[in-house]
Amino acid sequence: LVKPLKGLGADDFHQVLILPKDNTRSSWDLPGVEVLLDFEGHGYIGYGIEPERGTPTVVIVRPDGMVGVFAVTENGTRKYIEAVFASV
């Protein structure tokens, strides 16, 4: 899901991986990605994501605080990145 983000510079995105409380941080060693455990479920509830479904979701939040995309496939993430950065 996040492969399309790898080609962009660190200044383009702040990447945060939010995991449900029952996950372990040690199993997610991703350079340049901040890993947080959502003990109370606020991140999932706030974005309307159901962690029990087990479907990873990429949420890209724009600099103005608005959600740019919810993507559940790598292709979805890629399409958004291409559309946004094509004009740059």
Side-chain angles (χ1 to χ4, degrees), residues 1-87:
L1 284 174
V2 297
K3 283 182 186 177
L5 301 175
K6 297 297 180 194
L8 301 172
D11 294 336
D12 295 320
F13 286 94
H14 177 85
Q15 296 183 44
V16 179
L17 176 62
I18 301 175
L19 300 171
K21 63 181 176 184
D22 56 347
N23 274 276
T24 59
R25 297 175 108 183
S26 61
S27 64
W28 294 90
D29 184 24
L30 302 168
V33 178
E34 183 178 358
V35 179
L36 303 173
L37 293 179
D38 189 2
F39 289 105
E40 302 293 324
H42 296 295
Y44 288 89
I45 292 168
Y47 288 108
I49 298 170
E50 300 172 15
E52 60 275 357
R53 285 184 44 208
T55 304
T57 304
V58 170
V59 180
I60 297 180
V61 181
R62 301 181 329 204
D64 63 1
M66 299 299 293
V67 172
V69 72
F70 287 91
V72 294
T73 66
E74 183 178 323
N75 192 42
T77 305
R78 185 178 324 283
K79 282 183 179 181
Y80 180 78
I81 295 301
E82 288 173 354
V84 169
F85 287 92
S87 62

